Each structure stands twice: as C-alpha cells, then as structure tokens.
Amino acid sequence: AQSVTQLGSHVSVSEGALVLLRCNYSSSVPPYLFWYVQYPNQGLQLLLKYTSAATLVKGINGFEAEFKKSETSFHLTKPSAHMSDAAEYFCAVSDKQTGANNLFFGTGTRLTVIP
Amino acid sequence: DVKVTQSSRYLVKRTGEKVFLECVQDMDHENMFWYRQDPGLGLRLIYFSYDVKMKEKGDIPEGYSVSREKKERFSLILESASTNQTSMYLCASSYPTGGNQPQHFGDGTRLSIL
C-alpha cells in the first residue's frame, strides 16, 4: 500500500524566512502527489499536485514543490513566510499503478509563523 | 469552483444515538469519500463510493455505514454513537480519472459524542 511520511509534526519559522515542509513517499513506481493546506476550522484546500509532468510544481500562495525520484521526496517550499501561511499542511499520494482514486495522507505538519 | 457542502459544522450527540452526517457536492463527481481527522493521525478513510448505490470500506469502517442514493449526496451514518467517535469528519469528492485528480473537501463537521 502507498504511504507518505511527513517529517516534523510542528515547524516554526520567522516571518520572511524560508518555509520547508518535508514529505517522503514509499513506492517503487512514482505516484501522483498532492499538497493540501488546512486553516483552522476549515476543510482541506489543494495547494499543488504532481502528475508526472514537470518535476517542479508551482501552486497557490507562492508555494512550490519539487519531485525527486532518487530521494522519493516531494518537499514543499516557500521563499518567504507570511503570517497568513500559519496552518496545517498535508502531503498525500495516490497509486498511479492501480489507477485507484483513493488518497493516502501523511499525519500533517503544523506551521507556525513567528512575527 | 467545486462546492462540497457538509450539513453541519458542529454537532453534539449522546452515546447510543444514531447520527447522520450529510454531504452534497455540486460538480457531478462520481467519487465521494468520508474521512475522520484526529490530532497526530492525519486523515483516515472511513468509506468511499465510486458510483450511486456503490460503497467500499476504507481503513476504519467499524461502527459506521454510508448511503449514496443520489450521485451528489453521500451520507455517513454512526449506527450507535460512542465517545471514541468524537472527531472531525471530512467529506470529499473527485473525478474518476485514474488517481491524478485531486479531491475537493468540505469544511468538516466537528462531532462530539457525550
């Protein structure tokens, strides 16, 4: 079965600093990969997705993620953190091999932005 | 924009009650999903459906059932609510195109079982 690991359940950065949220997947066949953001008391909102086109994927709100097959990683970055980026972030994967539509989610990383 | 609407944002029920959580989507999506979200555990799939009147168990179906009588509506049922079912419940929908389509989420229902 597919799985994803998000290193660091909590990450704190200063406003204006680089944001780096880590995600590693476990699959011999590169899957489809997604990053979602969840603001307090809301559902999940899609930030970006990787579906085997360009390895560097740009998303909303200035976020981007790079797919690295050799490292089985799909880390999320943003050059300069803003207070409004404080939220919980989830990495998710779906199985390209089976074509199934289910997503497997990581346990999430809560991002705190310090003024 | 895709709209996934969950009928209640907050719900308080008592142990042993039968609880219905409703979800409606307006994008004609074939796929619909129910998750529960608990701190430190991420999202866990309860049930999903790829078509009307079709349902499949996810990772944690015990104590739950679902109903999908119409394409746009997917209901989650707690047959006899227990305190360990206190959680955030999230509904999602998507197109059925081989896994490369994102799921679209509702705002969630925070359910407390007393």
Side-chain angles (χ1 to χ4, degrees), chain A residues 32 34 36 38 41-46 49 51 88 90 94-96 99-108, chain B residues 9-10 31 33 35 37 40-43 45 48 50 88 90 95-103 105-107 110:
Chain A
Y32 300 119
F34 306 82
Y36 285 86
Q38 185 181 34
N41 296 315
Q42 293 187 23
L44 276 67
Q45 179 183 354
L46 181 69
K49 65 178 183 179
T51 57
E88 189 153 23
F90 291 92
S94 67
D95 194 335
K96 187 191 294 185
N101 294 280
N102 293 4
L103 287 180
F104 300 89
F105 286 86
T107 52
Chain B
R9 293 297 303 276
Y10 301 93
N31 302 337
F33 307 85
Y35 297 89
Q37 182 181 12
L41 297 178
L43 276 72
L45 182 63
F48 60 98
Y50 288 167
M88 169 74 107
L90 292 165
Y95 288 115
T97 52
N100 65 351
Q101 290 297 316
Q103 292 180 13
F105 285 82
D107 282 338
R110 191 166 293 281

Side-chain angles (χ1 to χ4, degrees), chain A residues 37-109:
Chain A
V37 61
Q38 185 181 34
Y39 299 104
N41 296 315
Q42 293 187 23
L44 276 67
Q45 179 183 354
L46 181 69
L47 273 178
L48 49 81
K49 65 178 183 179
Y50 168 75
T51 57
S52 74
T55 56
L56 182 62
V57 181
K58 294 189 183 299
I60 63 171
N61 302 339
F63 284 93
E64 61 183 35
E66 186 172 8
F67 173 74
K68 291 187 176 179
K69 183 178 177 181
S70 61
E71 299 177 7
T72 61
S73 69
F74 190 56
H75 300 331
L76 182 71
T77 60
K78 183 173 180 178
S80 176
H82 192 272
M83 296 298 294
S84 60
D85 295 327
E88 189 153 23
Y89 292 80
F90 291 92
C91 182
V93 61
S94 67
D95 194 335
K96 187 191 294 185
Q97 219 168 7
T98 64
N101 294 280
N102 293 4
L103 287 180
F104 300 89
F105 286 86
T107 52
T109 297

